[in-house]
Amino acid sequence: MRFPQFSESGPLVGYELEAMRSLSAAFLTARYEWQTACTMWDRIHTAGETAELRRGPASFSFHEEAVRRLAGGVSEYERQAALAAWRYTAAALVLGVAVLRRIAEGKPPLTVTGVEELCQEPTLGQLHEALSVPVPDMVPERGYPANISGERESSAREWAKVREGVADVIDLVLELATDEDAAHPRTKDEAATCLLTQHCPPHTDPVYDGVLQPLFQLAEEVPYGIARIIDRP
């Protein structure tokens, strides 16, 4: 799925469209790099397992040495790519939902300043709030013959699943702060004000694990939802 075409004469104004398109390109690039990094990690991890299968002392251990040298760099790149993907994907979804909602409700365009603010990485609470907007109910069902039975209900379940995942991330951020005796956050409300990219310690399991991939799908779908609202009879 790619970014849809929009008419310049439609209700989507230029700076809204430009911001949405730019964020879409950013998160797609970061997504592909993250997926490539995950493949690289799987490959180097398999190589490491193969090296560990060797029994007894060896005169030369260059294979093992190469795996150790490469593993650290691959792991760090995977993490950086994931955090970049999160930052741009979360922003794309929050901005996209705001634009979709204002078009569905017939409201005036967002201000330039408002769009610029929504382009920044959202807090976990802001992302959770955007995922709570009933987007599937606002988007018209596909017309015949493309109508898919139960599409709206299925979409609502996907949104709810990702929303629950972000709620779990908020809880995890709070748990990590407690485990490390950090000064902030100390409550769930404080955790909701956090940016994921600033609360994802490299020595812990990724807090975005299990949420990032389905978030991609929703962020890609929102512009198409806007297009369907604009094109409805």
Side-chain angles (χ1 to χ4, degrees):
M1 188 179 293
R2 297 296 182 267
F3 200 81
Q5 296 292 326
F6 288 99
S7 171
E8 294 184 359
S9 61
L12 191 61
V13 298
Y15 54 86
E16 290 176 326
L17 177 57
E18 181 182 356
M20 289 172 58
R21 184 182 287 122
S22 182
L23 282 173
S24 176
F27 87 71
L28 282 174
T29 297
R31 173 186 185 177
Y32 295 144
E33 290 303 309
W34 176 60
Q35 291 173 336
T36 298
C38 289
T39 300
M40 292 168 63
W41 171 249
D42 288 342
R43 189 165 62 234
I44 200 67
H45 182 69
T46 299
E49 291 180 333
T50 300
E52 291 177 357
L53 291 176
R54 297 183 180 182
R55 301 297 183 184
S59 299
F60 302 99
S61 57
F62 297 122
H63 181 211
E64 293 84 346
E65 179 183 313
V67 169
R68 287 194 300 271
R69 287 177 178 271
L70 293 169
V74 170
S75 178
E76 176 61 18
Y77 184 63
E78 184 275 335
R79 177 176 178 275
Q80 290 302 321
L83 293 180
W86 178 277
R87 180 258 183 272
Y88 295 114
T89 306
L93 186 135
V94 170
L95 174 62
V97 168
V99 172
L100 183 149
R101 188 173 191 176
R102 77 96 180 155
I103 291 177
E105 296 175 352
K107 294 182 177 179
L110 303 175
T111 65
V112 175
T113 300
V115 169
E116 290 175 345
E117 291 176 351
L118 292 172
C119 285
Q120 305 307 308
E121 180 186 353
T123 65
L124 291 168
Q126 289 172 324
L127 179 58
H128 188 272
E129 182 179 353
L131 289 164
S132 300
V133 174
V135 169
D137 293 335
M138 295 180 175
V139 177
E141 294 182 343
R142 300 177 194 271
Y144 182 85
N147 187 47
I148 302 174
S149 178
E151 178 188 20
R152 180 168 289 172
E153 292 76 11
S154 176
S155 179
R157 287 193 295 270
E158 288 300 316
W159 280 79
K161 181 178 179 181
V162 180
R163 182 171 64 250
E164 291 169 3
V166 172
D168 291 340
V169 170
I170 293 174
D171 289 336
L172 185 54
V173 166
L174 181 58
E175 290 176 13
L176 288 173
T178 302
D179 292 343
E180 300 186 10
D181 197 24
H184 175 81
R186 303 308 294 177
T187 68
K188 189 168 183 176
D189 287 342
E190 286 184 354
T193 68
C194 293
L195 301 179
L196 180 142
T197 56
Q198 296 179 2
H199 292 268
C200 190
H203 57 278
T204 64
D205 291 335
V207 297
Y208 51 79
D209 195 27
V211 183
L212 184 54
Q213 186 64 44
L215 191 64
F216 289 143
Q217 184 66 32
L218 296 188
E220 283 186 303
E221 289 177 356
V222 169
Y224 285 89
I226 294 173
R228 284 163 63 181
I229 293 174
I230 293 174
D231 295 339
R232 65 185 167 189

